[in-house]
Amino acid sequence: MSHSMQQPQPPHGGPQQTPQWGGPQQDPQWGGSGPSHRADPPAKRPKAALVLGIIALIVGLIPFLFWIGGILGLVALIVGLSGRAKNGRPNNPVGAILGGVGMVFAVVGAVFTLQIMGDAVDELDRSVNEAASSAESDTDSFDKGKKGKGKGKGKGKGKGKSGGGDKGSGGGGEVFAAGDTAVYDDNLKVTVSAASPYTPSEYASGVTPGNKAYKVTVVVENAGQESFDSTLVLADARAGAEGVTAEQIFDDKVGGGFDGTILPGKKSTVTYAFDTPATAKDLTVEVTPDFTHDAVIWELKL
């Protein structure tokens, strides 16, 4: 009877064991030294929201560029909150916060811009109103100067004087003769010469066919202590018994008018030419130095 090796039988009802060769092994499902399952590393948080949020903060407060800051802030907020569904928190909370603050800065920038624009409009309106008021005031002063009445009396050739008014007035009740000088309170002197015939050039304006032309010389002397602006000096004329307006003639020799500043102790001389009816026997010349000096009248024989 031969004996063969038989493997021991496990007890009834017990688990069957398999011979272990090379050391104990354990089923991975029960733990032990088997391979382990590790969680995936969290994804890198995007830095775009942070960059956009910083730019939004800087640009939001700049006037007229606030809208760019608002758009960048909104994008930064959206990008910073976009990862909440994956890991339970925002991808970049700092960028999202900066984006929200950038949107607030954009609103502040919009308020600043509207305020600046409103101030600019108000300043423009104020300047326009001041210019209009100044022009209206100058026109009123000119009209008053033209209608002002003085009390001066001519006392002989070259010695006519005027008195009263702000700086002197003349030619109201009395008129000056050719060559007389009107002297104002501030020592401004105006002299008008006698009228003499004038031949207009071929290209002269203000000439009426059949009429005659006469020229007069107006001298403004500043004998005062302050400079005088001669730009506003006006010379008008009327001719004949009917007082018809004598048009001023402009050509290459006459019609330029006064210009520039007359220093104390200096004079300025201008020749005017007027177109008069052929039958006129006299010429009335009225000179107004400026708004603060009344008009002076000379009666000249033709």
Side-chain angles (χ1 to χ4, degrees):
M1 180 174 181
S2 60
H3 297 277
S4 60
M5 294 182 63
Q6 296 180 354
Q7 185 163 344
Q9 298 294 326
H12 179 73
Q16 183 176 359
Q17 296 182 357
T18 305
Q20 305 294 326
W21 307 99
Q25 294 182 359
Q26 296 182 357
D27 195 333
Q29 64 180 340
W30 303 108
S33 60
S36 61
H37 296 277
R38 293 179 297 175
D40 294 334
K44 295 182 178 180
R45 298 174 183 176
K47 297 182 179 181
L50 180 62
V51 175
L52 293 175
I54 295 175
I55 297 176
L57 290 178
I58 298 174
V59 180
L61 290 178
I62 300 177
F64 303 103
L65 296 181
F66 62 90
W67 57 275
I68 299 178
I71 295 175
L72 295 179
L74 179 61
V75 174
L77 180 64
I78 295 175
V79 173
L81 298 176
S82 61
R84 179 178 295 275
K86 296 180 180 180
N87 49 28
R89 58 181 177 177
N91 279 340
N92 196 328
V94 177
I97 294 174
L98 292 179
V101 177
M103 295 176 64
V104 175
F105 278 20
V107 174
V108 177
V111 174
F112 286 166
T113 302
L114 294 177
Q115 184 176 1
I116 292 173
M117 294 178 64
D119 293 342
V121 172
D122 292 341
E123 184 65 24
L124 180 60
D125 291 341
R126 188 180 303 110
S127 300
V128 172
N129 292 334
E130 289 178 356
S133 300
S134 177
E136 183 177 358
S137 176
D138 291 345
T139 302
D140 293 341
S141 299
F142 174 76
D143 293 339
K144 291 179 180 178
K146 293 286 288 182
K147 297 179 181 179
K149 294 183 178 180
K151 299 180 180 179
K153 292 184 178 181
K155 296 183 178 180
K157 186 174 182 179
K159 296 181 181 179
K161 291 184 176 293
S162 60
D166 294 337
K167 294 183 179 180
S169 58
E174 300 292 335
V175 295
F176 292 95
D180 284 351
T181 299
V183 181
Y184 290 87
D185 292 344
D186 59 351
N187 288 326
L188 182 71
K189 300 179 180 181
V190 180
T191 305
V192 176
S193 69
S196 60
Y198 177 74
T199 303
S201 65
E202 180 182 358
Y203 303 101
S205 62
V207 178
T208 302
N211 284 0
K212 293 182 179 180
Y214 293 89
K215 66 179 181 179
V216 296
T217 301
V218 179
V219 179
V220 177
E221 179 182 358
N222 183 10
Q225 302 298 321
E226 299 180 358
S227 299
F228 175 72
D229 184 6
S230 65
T231 306
L232 299 179
V233 176
L234 297 177
D236 299 317
R238 297 178 298 277
E242 301 297 329
V244 178
T245 299
E247 296 293 338
Q248 185 176 345
I249 298 174
F250 295 89
D251 62 9
D252 56 342
K253 297 179 181 179
V254 297
F258 287 88
D259 189 19
T261 300
I262 304 176
L263 299 176
K266 300 296 183 179
K267 300 179 180 180
S268 181
T269 303
V270 171
T271 299
Y272 293 91
F274 298 98
D275 183 73
T276 67
T279 58
K281 301 299 182 180
D282 55 68
L283 181 68
T284 302
V285 177
E286 182 177 1
V287 178
T288 306
D290 60 13
F291 300 142
T292 60
H293 295 79
D294 290 339
V296 185
I297 298 177
W298 280 261
E299 191 71 31
L300 309 178
K301 298 299 181 180
L302 300 179

